[in-house]
Amino acid sequence: MTHPDFSRLLSERLDPLDRQAADASGHAFPAAVLIGLVQREGGYSVLLTRRSDAMRRHAGQVALPGGRCDPGETVAETAIREAWEEIGLEPSFVTPLGQSNAATATSGIHITPVVGLIAPGFTLAANPAEVAVIFEAPFAFLMNPETFKEQEVDFGQGLRRFHAATHEDQLIWGATARIFISLRERLYD
């Protein structure tokens, strides 16, 4: 059962789910991801994936389940469909609660995060064409203002600055890190 104060916080701070996918940048294509909250004994955790090394975009990166919006889909419908396709999360286990701030990836993907509760009893199976690993990270860890530290790395094209955090040898950075930082600010600042 969801803690009532947590449910109230989410319902007060998230945008409603009735929005269609929108191209906010004029150049990016719309996508949605699922911030799937799983209640565990020690608190909530979030379902994450490490993308397959064979992917054309963002290969090997930690991501939330999600992908490109189909025409006419709401972002909630996209996030739930993509979670089913990527990690085998049956849609009947997902209760979407609201939308958080969108982020644009360096590849031009405009990503709207959908926060949803995942009911107990689900099973997962990674689609090997898209997902190498499925794992969970504690929500409290992801929402801690000390978790994501700014780093500077040269990927061969000059220095880039970004926020990143490591959870159990999985590096969370890029748009995924920005999504969590934005959600933390929205919920707790």
Side-chain angles (χ1 to χ4, degrees), residues 163-181:
H163 286 86
T166 301
H167 175 71
E168 297 182 355
D169 297 326
Q170 300 291 343
L171 181 65
I172 305 166
W173 68 287
T176 303
R178 288 194 310 277
I179 286 168
F180 287 125
I181 292 167

Side-chain angles (χ1 to χ4, degrees), residues 6-14 37 97 115 117 187:
F6 185 63
S7 292
R8 185 170 45 253
L9 173 70
L10 292 172
S11 66
E12 290 173 356
R13 302 282 174 99
L14 297 173
L37 300 172
L97 302 174
V115 179
L117 295 176
L187 294 180

